[in-house]
Amino acid sequence: MPPFVPRKRVSSEDPPPAKRQARPDNSQAPPQAPRAPFHLSDSDSDSNSSLSDAPEDLLKGNASEESEDEEEDIDWEDAIDTKTNATTTTVAAPELQDLELTLDQNETHVSDLLDGKKGPSKIERQIRIQTHCMHVQCLLFHNAIRNAWSNDSKVHEILRKKLPEGIHKEVKKWRIASGLELPEPKPEPPKSKKKGKKAQKNKDWSDESERLEPGQPDMSRGDPIITLIKVLVAYWRKQFRITAPGLRKYGYRPVSALETAITDFREQEHDPERHGERIANLDEFRATAERMQGSRDVGAQLFTALVRALGIEARLVASLQPLGFGWTKGETYTPATPSKDPEKEGGSEGTEPETDVTENKEPAKNKRKQFDSDLPFPIYWTEVASPITHEIISVDPLVLSNPVAPFTETDLQANFEPRGAKADRAKQVICYVVAHSSDGTAKEVTTRYLRRRTWPGKTKGFRMPLEKVPVGPRGNYIAFDWFGMVMRGYQRARKSKTAVDKLEETRDLQPNQPEKKKATQTADTLQSLRTSTEFVLERFLRREEALRPGAEPVRTFIAGKGARAKEEPVFRRADVLKCLSAESWHKEGRQTKPGAVALKRVPIRAVTLIRKREVDEMHRQTGEKPLQGLYARDQTEYIIPPPIQDGRIPKNEYGNIDCFVPSMVPAGAAHVPLPGTVRVCKKLGIDYAEAVTGFEFGSKMAVPVIQGVVVAAENEGLLRDAWKVEAAEKRKREELKAEKKILQTWRKFLFGLRIMERVRDEYGGGDPDADRERDSHNPFAVHKKKREEEPDDDGADEDMPDRESSYNAFDHGGGFLLPGHDDDADDGLVVENHDQQPVSISSGSDNEADDGKGEDSEPEYAPRPTRRTRAR
DNA sequence: ATGGAGTACAGACCTTTGCTGTCT
DNA sequence: CAGACAGCTTTGGTCTGTACTCCA
């Protein structure tokens, strides 16, 4: 099996590109900040106080130096001496301390990033991704709770009681029209008076409808529920007063602003305008229903409750507005621009301190529309399921001008998708739209509200994209949907799916594929040519690609405008050939045909030291970068080595045989890819060559991977049989060895137990409190403690001579070795048992201290040091 | 609002034949 | 004592896809 070759770059000792060094200092705050506190205890008082008094200044002032140190000088021993630079003295204190995060007040912002021309670091990206994921889950749970409250029968009762008589009549009408209720025997037409004139027109229809079988839905004027919903929305818009701000996305704000907001939220009395609307429990929710006022969000939640109260299946829909994971303007906190009250800036989680709100002290009626008036799209709304058609009707009770969007009106449903400059400014996004049903389950319905129901549409950049998880052989992936995973906890079980579910899942929630543009139809652009599968510009050819000799351009493309316009020939992709160097072809078992001329010449990529030296030498001599030729497949042929003669295997200059593909094995020979075959061949006295099947790269070296041997075909059977015998013997030897080792380990373990028991008898240590102490493992400490507790034990104090007497006490049986007995510098206590086998029972030493361990220590317990470790 | 051009970045790809100490 | 074997270390330049901004 070829050994593992790491493909990914892990670290680089070279300094990163200059751009990285030009990063704004504070961008590295998260990884560096925890280090500063370690130093506080042993740094001089000046730096200490300056750190605590003016952390921002200090961090800011040292930051440029700091980042250089961070990247160029990892040797922290030097850093300890740098007393002036508090933040560079990183891990000076040896003992463990609490990790502290000190974040710079002037936290990095998008603008800083752009000025410094640096992107967010990996860790910063991770922080945002995690924040986003956490926020999404919090919002989901919040909505699940609100949904449960919207199910409350008392809330329903409150809302039902408030309905005027007219609405009750409408409800009854709807029930009859839907066939849910039989019409009363009275001949009086079920039309309400407010539609007087229309009723005249509809009279014939109603006559007809009466001819329908009672108990059957009357669909003659469309789904009757739509009429009812429109009435309910009109009622709700009139009755519900928006008196508080709802949820919204603010973006990432500077830490200082966040801290102020949190402190304000914790310490000040709750103010909905500054801290957001708070409904602590169901009782408060009921009270809100009673008052018919609150945020737009609560308005939609109560509206959902009202619809449910009328016996209609309704879902509470929420378009989550989580903090994102990108670095666009939308993720950056933007304080209200014309704000005159600096205290309000960055202050509230609940409300944007809009000037019109803070300045206007007009009566509530005028103020009512002010909350969230800058949000052009709803965040919460209702989905009503028609009991007749099982289709979903989207209802926004408070915000949109077209509040009722039936399934058929895809454009109206797409109106819920935030778009436009106003939505941009208000940071309204669509990424996850979740509908919570009355049974407590929830399902994702984002697709319904995307324009043309096309993915990813506007969710792009705001929603966690599908993650490609590699599986199986290279190039195979499965798509991992993070949100799908999160939603699994909320979803309705497959067997409990309703007719509504089934219908929408086959229709409204089926995403459309984005319309592919016909590349041939549109005019050429650089982008279209870059991605085209049919045409290509010469400049887009990859390093390993070349044009077929004699390929004719199909047309020309003019790049640039005006004076900078430049004509370029456009070629067919079909005329592009994949090329490889002679060495690369060799690895595929092919060689260039005699007389083949390279289609392309490219600079040599030298990786190993030897190759690098060669390339440098050539570069020095010629003054030009040496090039290597690339050849197309049809310029190469299979390497067919000549058949072997007399059982002799041909070998290359390294004494082995290249066996990258099976065809490279010469006729008359066989590849036996078994380990340890070399020895067997030697034993048998047959000719062989080790088979090189690939290379392993690392440490600027290419190491051949050898898998077994190539032998003459007539020797193959002999070799395999002998190998089997050998392997069986080897296995037996290994089993015996393993058994021996197991027994040894047990023996050692039992001795250890005996020693521990003896130590306990001698010094105690059964006190659980003492055990819990930091040095409870240390028998000396325990002994000392015990003696302190019992001063009249033997009257001796805790001086060194006495300690030595304790050492001596151990010597009588399984005791500790005296200092100097073992001349190594091990910190651990070595206990000698009756069989004179040293056992390390405690070691606070690190590897470097272990390096001096004597030869008699067991390798399996004290790993042998590496050369690198010793070199340091 | 949209799309093209340009830029930056992360991750993937390509690379082609030791050295030394310890064990068996 | 010779030969086998384990362990070291895990590059770095270039390409490519993607995200993002700017600009028309």
Side-chain angles (χ1 to χ4, degrees):
Chain A
M1 199 180 80
F4 168 71
V5 185
R7 292 266 169 215
K8 231 173 89 177
R9 188 186 315 171
V10 178
S11 69
S12 165
E13 286 186 21
D14 286 354
K19 279 170 205 147
R20 289 211 166 246
Q21 299 220 348
R23 281 173 160 203
D25 44 23
N26 44 18
S27 64
Q28 300 224 350
Q32 288 171 356
R35 294 178 168 186
F38 283 114
H39 184 70
L40 292 182
S41 55
D42 58 354
S43 68
D44 57 44
S45 57
D46 280 350
S47 63
N48 194 343
S49 60
S50 60
L51 246 190
S52 53
D53 291 344
E56 307 115 39
D57 292 351
L58 191 79
L59 286 168
K60 225 173 132 186
N62 289 328
S64 56
E65 256 178 279
E66 180 185 352
S67 56
E68 273 175 30
D69 282 359
E70 183 80 11
E71 286 168 348
E72 289 173 12
D73 197 357
I74 299 162
D75 192 352
W76 54 267
E77 285 175 31
D78 294 346
I80 289 174
D81 294 328
T82 321
K83 282 188 180 169
T84 46
N85 191 338
T87 47
T88 12
T89 51
T90 50
V91 285
E95 70 266 85
L96 287 173
Q97 294 186 10
D98 288 342
L99 192 67
E100 270 182 44
L101 271 173
T102 312
L103 295 170
D104 190 343
Q105 186 175 1
N106 307 304
E107 198 197 33
T108 312
H109 260 267
V110 173
S111 53
D112 303 339
L113 301 178
L114 296 176
D115 291 346
K117 288 264 182 192
K118 77 132 206 166
S121 70
K122 211 172 169 184
I123 192 165
E124 286 166 328
R125 282 178 198 280
Q126 276 305 314
I127 289 171
R128 289 224 166 165
I129 288 171
Q130 294 301 325
T131 309
H132 170 82
C133 293
M134 192 156 57
H135 196 191
V136 167
Q137 292 178 76
C138 289
L139 289 170
L140 266 179
F141 194 67
H142 168 84
N143 297 339
I145 291 173
R146 289 295 167 95
N147 176 58
W149 290 354
S150 303
N151 257 348
D152 179 55
S153 52
K154 276 193 184 165
V155 172
H156 291 183
E157 204 183 309
I158 293 165
L159 294 171
R160 243 192 334 255
K161 267 189 194 160
K162 286 177 174 284
L163 287 177
E165 190 53 32
I167 303 263
H168 280 299
K169 274 185 187 161
E170 283 293 327
V171 173
K172 193 162 180 71
K173 238 169 70 184
W174 161 71
R175 288 185 65 81
I176 292 166
S178 297
L180 299 169
E181 205 172 287
L182 289 176
E184 284 171 32
K186 277 192 213 167
E188 185 191 327
K191 293 273 152 281
S192 70
K193 277 172 193 167
K194 68 180 177 185
K195 285 190 180 173
K197 295 225 166 131
K198 256 192 175 175
Q200 188 64 32
K201 192 191 160 201
N202 291 338
K203 201 164 186 179
D204 298 339
W205 290 106
S206 59
D207 284 350
E208 259 187 30
S209 73
E210 273 171 26
R211 272 183 257 129
L212 279 171
E213 201 184 323
Q216 287 298 306
D218 169 17
M219 296 286 282
S220 54
R221 278 168 297 148
D223 197 334
I225 200 163
I226 292 178
T227 320
L228 174 68
I229 294 295
K230 283 182 178 166
V231 171
L232 286 175
V233 169
Y235 158 75
W236 198 254
R237 290 196 170 187
K238 204 169 153 209
Q239 294 302 316
F240 189 83
R241 283 170 48 218
I242 299 167
T243 59
L247 289 177
R248 65 154 72 193
K249 174 175 174 174
Y250 285 95
Y252 292 90
R253 55 183 94 194
V255 172
S256 57
L258 200 61
E259 269 176 4
T260 317
I262 293 169
T263 315
D264 190 60
F265 178 76
R266 282 193 185 141
E267 293 173 5
Q268 303 296 312
E269 200 180 325
H270 185 78
D271 171 12
E273 286 193 30
R274 288 199 343 268
H275 305 129
E277 185 187 37
R278 182 197 273 175
I279 300 174
N281 51 40
L282 184 54
D283 284 336
E284 287 187 21
F285 193 69
R286 287 172 183 156
T288 319
E290 193 67 61
R291 287 200 306 275
M292 292 275 271
Q293 54 174 259
S295 65
R296 278 172 24 168
D297 302 352
V298 169
Q301 289 154 16
L302 287 174
F303 181 79
T304 310
L306 171 66
V307 178
R308 285 177 183 169
L310 300 176
I312 302 168
E313 189 189 335
R315 298 161 167 179
L316 173 63
V317 184
S319 172
L320 308 190
Q321 305 291 310
L323 285 162
F325 45 80
W327 262 262
T328 51
K329 279 177 195 160
E331 305 304 339
T332 317
Y333 175 73
T334 29
T337 30
S339 176
K340 287 178 182 173
D341 188 353
E343 270 184 30
K344 295 239 168 184
E345 203 172 298
S348 64
E349 190 57 51
T351 173
E352 191 82 19
E354 293 161 48
T355 39
D356 48 0
V357 176
T358 49
E359 284 171 4
N360 280 351
K361 296 290 173 199
E362 286 176 45
K365 199 148 193 184
N366 282 349
K367 199 179 166 182
R368 149 185 167 189
K369 279 244 164 180
Q370 312 283 353
F371 285 105
D372 294 335
S373 60
D374 62 323
L375 297 179
F377 296 91
I379 287 172
Y380 288 85
W381 62 91
T382 308
E383 275 182 359
V384 176
S386 162
I388 303 172
T389 62
H390 302 307
E391 281 167 1
I392 290 288
I393 303 147
S394 310
V395 187
D396 164 44
L398 292 167
V399 184
L400 295 175
S401 51
N402 274 316
V404 182
F407 153 73
T408 45
E409 305 278 341
T410 45
D411 287 351
L412 287 184
Q413 288 191 331
N415 277 348
F416 287 72
E417 177 193 87
R419 65 176 81 103
K422 215 177 164 200
D424 230 31
R425 270 198 301 277
K427 300 190 199 301
Q428 271 200 294
V429 292
I430 182 166
C431 43
Y432 314 96
V433 183
V434 181
H436 294 259
S437 298
S438 52
D439 64 350
T441 62
K443 80 190 294 179
E444 196 196 344
V445 294
T446 314
T447 309
R448 178 175 294 131
Y449 300 100
L450 291 176
R451 200 141 57 129
R452 290 191 286 273
R453 292 181 182 151
T454 303
W455 278 91
K458 286 254 169 198
T459 67
K460 201 178 173 190
F462 298 109
R463 178 192 172 98
M464 283 297 283
L466 293 183
E467 193 186 342
K468 272 183 167 181
V469 181
V471 281
R474 212 191 208 169
N476 287 356
Y477 293 97
I478 53 163
F480 171 69
D481 178 16
W482 171 79
F483 190 67
M485 195 263 293
V486 169
M487 281 304 293
R488 265 194 293 184
Y490 292 92
Q491 268 160 3
R492 184 173 280 159
R494 196 181 291 258
K495 59 176 193 277
S496 328
K497 293 226 167 168
T498 63
V500 178
D501 287 327
K502 284 171 190 158
L503 189 68
E504 69 180 349
E505 276 158 31
T506 53
R507 296 202 313 201
D508 344 5
L509 298 184
Q510 277 296 317
N512 292 328
Q513 291 299 314
E515 290 162 22
K516 292 256 185 209
K517 281 177 200 156
K518 296 254 167 85
T520 45
Q521 297 296 317
T522 55
D524 281 335
T525 64
L526 215 56
Q527 198 62 28
S528 70
L529 286 170
R530 197 194 297 271
T531 53
S532 170
T533 51
E534 207 175 340
F535 302 105
V536 71
L537 294 181
E538 218 168 337
R539 61 164 143 163
F540 291 149
L541 291 179
R542 320 224 190 290
R543 185 181 184 269
E544 279 90 22
E545 285 176 344
L547 285 171
R548 184 190 303 280
E552 292 289 326
V554 284
R555 56 176 181 268
T556 51
F557 166 70
I558 299 164
K561 282 172 192 139
R564 292 202 309 174
K566 202 173 74 183
E567 277 198 1
E568 282 183 70
V570 179
F571 292 92
R572 287 183 194 285
R573 266 269 162 210
D575 285 334
V576 175
L577 298 171
K578 188 168 164 49
C579 298
L580 291 178
S581 65
E583 290 90 346
S584 298
W585 280 124
H586 182 65
K587 213 165 96 179
E588 303 210 347
R590 301 181 73 90
Q591 62 192 357
T592 52
K593 286 178 186 168
V597 180
L599 285 188
K600 197 175 182 180
R601 295 184 69 78
V602 292
I604 297 175
R605 276 185 196 162
V607 168
T608 60
L609 261 186
I610 295 168
R611 275 302 193 93
K612 265 193 165 59
R613 279 190 205 128
E614 280 173 16
V615 168
D616 286 350
E617 182 62 24
M618 284 159 79
H619 184 48
R620 204 173 51 80
Q621 281 175 0
T622 61
E624 285 173 1
K625 276 193 174 176
L627 302 174
Q628 65 180 165
L630 299 185
Y631 303 85
R633 190 181 180 86
D634 57 10
Q635 292 181 290
T636 64
E637 58 190 7
Y638 276 113
I639 299 171
I640 308 290
I644 62 160
Q645 286 176 346
D646 309 327
R648 314 278 322 160
I649 309 296
K651 299 170 188 72
N652 63 19
E653 54 183 307
Y654 303 99
N656 46 36
I657 185 167
D658 291 334
C659 225
F660 303 122
V661 288
S663 64
M664 291 174 90
V665 179
H671 179 203
V672 184
L674 299 170
T677 38
V678 171
R679 195 170 23 175
V680 182
C681 285
K682 277 182 186 167
K683 231 186 214 174
L684 295 171
I686 55 176
D687 192 41
Y688 71 93
E690 288 187 275
V692 177
T693 55
F695 287 92
E696 184 188 356
F697 296 91
S699 314
K700 294 185 178 169
M701 287 186 298
V703 182
V705 174
I706 289 169
Q707 284 189 310
V709 293
V710 172
V711 292
E714 63 264 27
N715 291 332
E716 188 187 354
L718 184 68
L719 172 62
R720 284 188 183 270
D721 290 344
W723 183 85
K724 275 179 198 161
V725 174
E726 184 112 325
E729 278 173 16
K730 197 182 169 195
R731 205 180 312 131
K732 211 168 184 179
R733 276 201 307 271
E734 275 169 2
E735 276 168 11
L736 277 171
K737 201 176 152 189
E739 199 175 320
K740 204 175 153 193
K741 194 175 170 185
I742 290 165
L743 289 173
Q744 263 183 348
T745 312
W746 272 108
R747 191 177 132 98
K748 198 168 276 183
F749 176 61
L750 289 172
F751 278 127
L753 281 179
R754 263 158 66 178
I755 291 161
M756 206 164 75
E757 206 174 345
R758 191 180 172 103
V759 170
R760 279 229 183 93
D761 287 347
E762 197 95 5
Y763 292 97
D767 178 4
D769 289 337
D771 282 349
R772 245 175 270 124
E773 283 184 24
R774 224 180 102 194
D775 53 1
S776 61
H777 63 278
N778 182 350
F780 296 99
V782 176
H783 191 193
K784 188 177 166 186
K785 196 176 168 72
K786 196 176 167 191
R787 289 225 235 139
E788 279 166 0
E789 283 164 3
E790 301 162 29
D792 53 348
D793 191 24
D794 61 359
D797 61 30
E798 304 87 38
D799 276 339
M800 281 305 286
D802 191 57
R803 265 200 211 174
E804 275 189 24
S805 71
S806 9
Y807 284 117
N808 289 333
F810 274 77
D811 285 341
H812 293 296
F816 294 104
L817 290 177
L818 286 168
H821 176 92
D822 191 355
D823 57 358
D824 68 27
D826 198 345
D827 290 350
L829 296 166
V830 178
V831 182
E832 196 160 46
N833 58 37
H834 296 290
D835 289 285
Q836 307 298 309
Q837 277 195 323
V839 182
S840 174
I841 62 164
S842 165
S843 174
S845 64
D846 56 19
N847 282 342
E848 276 158 67
D850 281 340
D851 284 350
K853 199 178 276 285
E855 289 301 310
D856 46 354
S857 65
E858 298 282 325
E860 62 268 32
Y861 291 103
R864 213 162 277 285
T866 66
R867 289 211 316 271
R868 181 164 288 263
T869 317
R870 267 175 296 161
R872 257 188 233 138

